[in-house]
Amino acid sequence: MRRFRVARLRPSLPAIPSRQTLVRARADFTASLVVFLVAVPLCVGVAVASGVPAELGLVTGIVGGLLTGLLPGSSLQVSGPAAGLTVLVYEAVQEYGLGALGALVLCAGVLQLVMGALRLGRWFRAISVAVVQGMLAGIGLVLIAGQLYALADAKAPGNGPANLAGLPGLLVDTLASDPALSALAVGAGTIALLVLWPKWRRAARVLPAPLVAVALATAVVFALDLPVARVEVAGLLDVVQPPGGADFARLADPGALAGVLGTVLAFALIASAESLFSAAAVDRLHDGPRTDYDKELMAQGAGNTVCGLLGALPMTAVIVRSSANVYAGARTKASRVLHGVWLLVFAAAFPAALGVVPIAALAGVLVHAGGKLIPVKQWCPLWREHRGEAVVLAATAVAIVATNMFEGVLLGLLMAVAKSAWETSHVHLEIVERSEPAVGDGGAGRGTDGHDAAGRAATGKGKPSKGKPSMGASGPAASQPRRPLLVRAVGNATFLRLPKLLDQLEALPEDREIELDLSGLRHLDHACMAALGSWAEQRRGPDGPTRQKAPSITP
């Protein structure tokens, strides 16, 4: 009798997460809490400065985490309301009303989607490292100047220059007020803990310093019942008002259409520029996947479209939250998505939970984060090795403090381009004495880029001096001519180097025949070609031997 073996079916067991997966999940979880704590004062502060309810800033932060955080583009960059658009939002609300803000943001988001679909985001990859570091330093200075007021429970005057100018008065007012001193003590203690906690490496691997600092400051304020300001947030449902037909009709009015188009374009371009500049900076802070600029631009557009439908503030990627996310040890995009979850849970479902957190402690976190954005240690080596890059960095930072992020970065980019043009337009002259006297005029040769130029233009002196032989001329007077000079230009001749080049040519001896060779130039722009042709004509003079064969100078 044949026997059959029946295989026993074993129930499939769920896959056990690897140790690496658990470590990554824990890092993302703790990082999300840190970003949440950093995002709360930024969301509230930007909204108040923009002249809208504070809850609208939280709505934008929630959308930035839950929607933009899930979309592809940048893995560790965090989005939300940013200070760079504060002035524009304030002016738009004053001009068109709060209800029309959602329509403006919606149109800007759609424009960003179109720009991303046209693959225009990749052009932001050509960013100088000095400009990026200058952007970080400028934002750090602006952040510190503004949050120093929050450390003392005071209101900042406004923009960067005003905040810096008001610091002496802030110090006097703080020393004269006991509640302000209490708030300053809480903020200073938070900063001290942020500096000292990472030195305890074993504990720092488990809990990040910002989380510990804010939790301890909250516990101290609650236990001692200190008279310091705390976060105040109401419900979100009352402030969410999608734009209606009347809002779009108000913007479509012929008298306001030009201003509306300018506002929408400004929202889209500034939000895109800040987001992609921030992405370039964040990519330099970590070793993870690089940003896909086109996808990130579309992610920002999708976020602004939703923010517009909800009537909230416009969104950009925020370098402060993003850098805090990286420094807290985030590994994947899960940290930024979770930070949106915490904003939604605590601000919408349990707004009273935020009421125990002192604003001074959150300001301390932001001051510490701003200080880490300033490249203090890298400045001296950069100044010694690449002084031009250091100047671009400093100028970008100062411009951001004096104006705003977009204008400051634009100035930095222009300076970087000018510096590169100056360095690449190096040209020098090689002067040698010919072994034999020149015969005739030497002929006109070919310049660079295929143009007829004074490639080998022989030039004599001007009118011969009375009683002296004419060098380079025929006849008995030229029986013992002095040897001509061969002047060879090498490098890139542009208008930036033209003054120095002409000074060197005009310093050549007037009693010698000059043969100018431009075949060693890799580039010769029109300004240099015209100037060299003019110099050759003046050198020959009306009675010179090569007057009839002037070199052809063409663009």
Side-chain angles (χ1 to χ4, degrees):
M1 184 174 182
R2 182 176 296 179
R3 297 180 179 179
F4 298 92
R5 177 177 295 178
V6 179
R8 180 178 298 178
L9 299 177
R10 297 181 179 180
S12 59
L13 299 177
I16 300 176
S18 64
R19 178 179 178 83
Q20 185 178 4
T21 303
L22 293 176
V23 171
R24 187 187 305 115
R26 184 178 65 181
D28 287 335
F29 178 80
T30 54
S32 69
L33 292 175
V34 173
V35 179
F36 160 70
L37 293 173
V38 173
V40 169
L42 286 177
C43 291
V44 175
V46 170
V48 173
S50 301
V52 302
E55 293 79 9
L56 289 181
L58 292 173
V59 172
T60 301
I62 292 169
V63 175
L66 298 182
L67 176 62
T68 308
L70 285 173
L71 297 176
S74 176
S75 58
L76 300 181
Q77 184 166 250
V78 183
S79 300
L85 291 172
T86 299
V87 176
L88 287 174
V89 173
Y90 180 84
E91 293 178 352
V93 171
Q94 296 299 316
E95 180 71 20
Y96 308 109
L98 181 60
L101 176 63
L104 294 171
V105 177
L106 173 61
C107 295
V110 173
L111 181 57
Q112 284 183 298
L113 289 173
V114 174
M115 293 167 59
L118 295 177
R119 304 181 67 83
L120 298 180
R122 62 179 64 186
W123 293 100
F124 289 87
R125 291 181 295 182
I127 301 175
S128 169
V129 177
V131 175
V132 174
Q133 291 180 333
M135 180 190 72
L136 295 176
I139 293 175
L141 292 172
V142 172
L143 184 63
I144 293 173
Q147 293 303 311
L148 287 177
Y149 292 87
L151 282 177
D153 283 348
K155 183 179 180 181
N159 53 17
N163 292 342
L164 292 175
L167 290 179
L170 173 66
L171 179 60
V172 174
D173 295 339
T174 301
L175 295 177
S177 173
D178 292 337
L181 288 174
S182 300
L184 181 60
V186 172
T190 303
I191 296 174
L193 191 56
L194 289 170
V195 174
L196 297 176
W197 183 260
K199 300 183 181 299
W200 188 8
R201 297 184 178 180
R202 181 175 299 179
R205 293 192 189 100
V206 179
L207 292 173
L211 184 60
V212 175
V214 173
L216 184 59
T218 302
V220 170
V221 170
F222 181 78
L224 300 180
D225 193 20
L226 296 178
V228 298
R230 295 169 174 81
V231 178
E232 297 181 2
V233 178
L236 300 180
L237 297 179
D238 296 335
V239 298
V240 174
Q241 297 180 356
D247 298 320
F248 286 99
R250 187 182 309 114
L251 298 179
D253 183 81
L257 188 57
V260 169
L261 293 177
T263 302
V264 170
L265 186 61
F267 277 173
L269 292 181
I270 294 178
S272 301
E274 290 196 13
S275 298
L276 298 180
F277 289 159
S278 175
V282 172
D283 283 347
R284 291 179 170 88
L285 298 179
H286 67 89
D287 298 327
R290 305 293 94 178
T291 298
D292 187 317
Y293 285 73
D294 297 319
K295 292 181 179 179
E296 179 63 21
L297 184 56
M298 295 196 70
Q300 296 295 326
N304 274 322
T305 301
V306 174
C307 286
L309 293 174
L310 297 176
L313 290 173
M315 169 197 306
T316 70
V318 185
I319 185 60
V320 176
R321 302 181 210 184
S322 303
S323 60
N325 189 37
V326 174
Y327 291 137
R331 305 291 183 83
T332 67
K333 64 175 62 178
S335 62
R336 61 184 189 178
V337 176
L338 284 175
H339 116 274
V341 173
W342 307 142
L343 284 176
L344 177 62
V345 170
F346 287 97
F350 305 104
L354 294 174
V356 298
V357 179
I359 293 179
L362 298 177
V365 173
L366 294 176
V367 169
H368 181 262
K372 297 181 72 172
L373 296 177
I374 303 174
V376 178
K377 295 181 179 179
Q378 295 84 358
W379 171 257
C380 291
L382 186 64
W383 178 259
R384 289 193 300 265
E385 299 174 5
H386 304 283
R387 189 157 298 182
E389 293 288 310
V391 171
V392 172
L393 189 156
T396 304
V398 172
I400 289 176
V401 174
T403 56
N404 55 56
M405 177 177 169
F406 183 73
E407 294 179 4
V409 171
L410 184 60
L411 177 62
L413 290 175
L414 293 176
M415 290 190 62
V417 171
K419 181 188 73 67
S420 299
W422 174 261
E423 293 178 349
T424 57
S425 64
H426 177 72
V427 62
H428 67 278
L429 299 180
E430 297 177 352
I431 304 174
V432 296
E433 191 176 60
R434 296 291 297 266
S435 58
E436 297 179 358
V439 179
D441 59 8
R446 302 281 294 178
T448 60
D449 299 333
H451 297 300
D452 290 328
R456 298 179 62 85
T459 62
K461 66 169 188 172
K463 294 183 179 181
S465 302
K466 185 176 181 180
K468 294 183 180 180
S470 174
M471 299 301 173
S474 59
S479 59
Q480 294 181 350
R482 299 181 64 180
R483 294 174 181 176
L485 295 179
L486 174 62
V487 180
R488 188 170 185 265
V490 180
N492 298 301
T494 67
F495 69 95
L496 296 174
R497 299 287 183 173
L498 186 55
K500 182 179 180 181
L501 182 61
L502 290 177
D503 288 342
Q504 291 177 326
L505 290 174
E506 292 172 356
L508 295 173
E510 297 184 0
D511 59 344
R512 301 287 293 273
E513 183 178 348
I514 306 299
E515 185 176 354
L516 183 60
D517 183 3
L518 303 183
S519 61
L521 292 176
R522 293 186 296 272
H523 175 73
L524 179 65
D525 67 6
H526 180 271
C528 282
M529 294 171 66
L532 292 176
S534 176
W535 174 84
E537 291 288 348
Q538 293 178 359
R539 182 81 185 190
R540 277 188 296 270
D543 299 330
T546 59
R547 179 171 52 87
Q548 70 280 6
K549 290 186 178 181
S552 174
I553 303 296
T554 58

